[in-house]
């Protein structure tokens, strides 16, 4: 899928950039993209990465740059234990980045190769995502100590048996626009018009209750909108349906739908690839219709259509944003977007002053909009 739209001349569209949040976990790629003894590249927050899986199973992410002369490590070799640079053959242990060998050293040299480190980032595998912790610049070789790191994000599951799906799409706009799009309640009836979802004519007034949660906000548990088909499907179980949607910094929307012992859970992230582009990833798990054949391909088909509608809209939006228009956020439909910007600023301020982030909400609020 296209990450970057291009002008007629083939020049990538460079839209406005966003301030990036460091000291947190971001999904770099799917673990099934990692092959034995192979190196794979990805880009996160404008940082080129080289990723792989050691022969003992551990995943790793290094800056794709040799500390000797800067050639990408990804053009070198990986034997399951060490990453060897193509230029002068220096070898690195990839989880910690420690240099293990400098082939040119002779018996006359006193340089201790093990005191040299390539940049290695904390890297963990969860739900098929390779999560990479990107520390703020200047916070040391591996960022904060492991204890001070925020926990690795994980998709909520409510039992041992479930099906899963994954979707991804590159978006040619900066992460702020991607996130606003993610939490925007008013675009649904226009962007996602389809017989199986909802139509413009089904717009009705909604009232939703929101409450503050640490570094985010929750759309409190409620019966989901009666005018969308996926929720209607759950009605076949004849039990009350309840859904809870959380947004938390830096980029995560989680949704849990429960209906008796049936559940559906998703984690959507909008990750900065560069300061002006981002990528949306959706992972989902459910035990709804567990025994119905073809549920996974059908769910993927509709999910992919849905994400594609957002992607197409944002590609079109990027054309407009290229000219740096002034924009507006209106109440109440854009209130979640306002909270997002306030939460983000609070984290940036707290990082600068060393204090605790100030939450923009002082208690539960009701918002009203039509969608
Ligand atoms: S540039 Fe990598 S070993 Fe010299
Ligand atoms: Fe959407």
């Amino acid at each position: 899928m296209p990450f970057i739209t291009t002008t007629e001349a083939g020049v990538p569209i460079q839209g406005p950039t966003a301030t990036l949040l460091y000291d947190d976990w971001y999904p770099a790629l799917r673990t099934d993209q990692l092959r034995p003894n192979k190196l794979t590249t990805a880009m996160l927050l404008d940082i080129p990465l080289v990723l792989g899986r050691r022969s003992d199973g551990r995943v790793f992410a290094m800056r794709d740059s040799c500390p000797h002369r800067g050639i990408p490590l990804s053009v070198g070799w990986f034997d399951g234990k060490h990453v060897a640079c193509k230029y002068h053959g220096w070898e690195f242990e990839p989880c910690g980045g420690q240099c293990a060998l400098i082939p040119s050293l002779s018996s006359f040299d006193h340089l201790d190769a093990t005191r040299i480190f390539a940049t290695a980032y904390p890297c963990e595998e969860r739900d098929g995502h390779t999560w990479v912790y990107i520390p703020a610049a200047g916070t040391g070789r591996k960022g904060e100590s492991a204890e001070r790191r925020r926990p690795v994000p994980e998709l909520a599951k409510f039992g041992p048996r479930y099906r899963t799906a994954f979707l991804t799409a590159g978006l040619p706009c900066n992460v702020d626009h991607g996130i606003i799009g993610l939490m925007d309640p008013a675009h649904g009836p226009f962007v996602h018009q389809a017989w199986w979802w909802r139509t413009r004519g089904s717009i009705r007034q909604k009232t939703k209750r929101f409450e503050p949660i640490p570094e985010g906000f929750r759309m409190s548990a409620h019966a989901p909108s009666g005018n969308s088909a996926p929720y209607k499907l759950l009605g076949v179980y004849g039990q009350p349906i309840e859904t809870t949607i959380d947004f938390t910094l830096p980029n995560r929307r989680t949704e849990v739908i429960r209906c008796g012992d049936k559940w559906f859970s998703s984690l959507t992230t909008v990750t900065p690839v560069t300061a002006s582009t981002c990528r949306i990833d959706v992972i989902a798990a459910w035990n709804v219709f567990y025994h119905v054949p073809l549920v996974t391909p059908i769910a993927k088909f509709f999910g992919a259509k849905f994400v594609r509608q957002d992607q197409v809209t944002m590609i079109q939006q990027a054309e407009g944003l290229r000219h740096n228009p002034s924009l507006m956020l209106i109440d109440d439909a854009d209130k979640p977007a306002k909270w997002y910007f306030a939460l983000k600023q609070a984290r940036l301020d707290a990082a600068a002053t060393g204090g605790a982030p100030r939450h923009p909400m002082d208690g539960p609020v009701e918002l009203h909009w039509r969608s």
Side-chain angles (χ1 to χ4, degrees):
M1 288 191 210
F3 267 76
I4 294 167
T5 49
T6 51
T7 62
E8 276 162 39
V11 180
I13 290 174
Q14 190 67 44
T17 58
T19 307
L20 304 178
L21 292 179
Y22 294 88
D23 291 326
D24 221 320
W25 296 93
Y26 292 98
L29 41 73
R30 297 294 289 169
T31 50
D32 59 13
Q33 292 173 264
L34 303 176
R35 300 263 173 267
N37 296 358
K38 285 271 181 315
L39 298 169
T40 310
T41 58
M43 176 84 85
L44 278 185
L45 284 71
D46 266 323
I47 300 170
L49 298 175
V50 56
L51 299 104
R53 187 191 289 285
R54 290 198 319 203
S55 43
D56 65 359
R58 268 189 74 183
V59 291
F60 63 83
M62 303 169 84
R63 181 183 274 270
D64 192 11
S65 174
C66 178
H68 183 212
R69 236 48 127 247
I71 193 170
L73 290 168
S74 56
V75 299
W77 302 274
F78 176 52
D79 63 0
K81 276 200 169 69
H82 291 101
V83 171
C85 179
K86 172 175 176 168
Y87 208 165
H88 312 93
W90 293 19
E91 291 188 9
F92 303 93
E93 186 292 303
C95 290
Q98 189 173 34
C99 185
L101 178 73
I102 297 182
S104 67
L105 291 183
S106 74
S107 58
F108 291 91
D109 286 304
H110 298 292
L111 177 64
D112 178 6
T114 63
R115 295 182 61 171
I116 294 173
F117 285 84
T119 305
Y121 298 97
C123 183
E124 298 280 346
E125 190 175 345
R126 295 279 189 292
D127 303 306
H129 272 336
T130 314
W131 294 93
V132 180
Y133 188 87
I134 305 291
T139 48
R141 194 165 44 78
K142 288 201 81 173
E144 315 166 36
S145 60
E147 310 78 63
R148 289 199 52 217
R149 261 176 239 143
R150 295 177 165 91
V152 186
E154 193 156 354
L155 179 65
K157 290 148 224 127
F158 303 91
R161 276 154 56 89
Y162 51 84
R163 296 180 184 279
T164 59
F166 162 70
L167 290 164
T168 187
L171 303 175
C173 57
N174 72 43
V175 67
D176 289 343
H177 282 293
I179 287 177
I180 304 179
L182 181 71
M183 58 179 56
D184 174 0
H187 77 285
F190 300 93
V191 171
H192 302 298
Q193 276 189 64
W195 62 266
W196 49 270
W197 180 246
R198 56 172 69 163
T199 60
R200 234 188 253 213
S202 73
I203 292 185
R204 58 174 85 164
Q205 180 152 318
K206 311 244 167 81
T207 296
K208 297 276 158 66
R209 194 181 149 86
F210 288 82
E211 56 192 283
I213 56 174
E215 289 210 295
F217 51 86
R218 168 169 297 164
M219 190 193 286
S220 314
H222 63 282
S225 51
N227 55 354
S228 60
Y231 294 126
K232 276 187 193 148
L233 285 176
L234 274 165
V236 302
Y237 289 112
Q239 301 236 29
I241 308 169
E242 203 177 67
T243 178
T244 304
I245 300 172
D246 286 357
F247 174 80
T248 45
L249 287 181
N251 65 346
R252 297 166 205 148
R253 176 194 193 270
T254 60
E255 176 163 12
V256 172
I257 305 169
R258 303 201 68 166
C259 172
D261 62 352
K262 302 290 175 200
W263 54 272
F264 170 91
S265 166
S266 66
L267 168 61
T268 306
T269 46
V270 177
T271 296
V273 176
T274 67
S276 60
T277 61
C278 62
R279 191 189 70 232
I280 184 168
D281 294 296
V282 187
I283 45 177
W286 64 89
N287 74 345
V288 184
F289 306 118
Y290 188 84
H291 296 288
V292 182
L294 293 178
V295 160
T296 303
I298 291 168
K300 277 193 182 161
F301 173 78
F302 286 114
K305 269 203 143 163
F306 194 79
V307 169
R308 179 72 188 149
Q309 290 167 336
D310 282 321
Q311 187 189 33
V312 166
T313 307
M314 287 187 190
I315 288 169
Q316 292 162 336
Q317 186 193 13
E319 286 286 339
L321 292 178
R322 201 152 51 101
H323 309 286
N324 253 314
S326 59
L327 307 170
M328 56 180 86
L329 295 171
I330 65 162
D331 287 333
D332 273 354
D334 293 336
K335 194 82 189 170
K338 291 184 180 180
W339 289 330
Y340 161 67
F341 283 114
L343 286 161
K344 182 173 176 182
Q345 192 55 50
R347 184 189 276 198
L348 291 167
D349 293 345
T353 62
R358 215 189 69 76
H359 204 290
M361 303 166 73
D362 30 325
V365 204
E366 270 189 355
L367 299 186
H368 313 276
W369 65 74
R370 288 170 54 80
S371 70

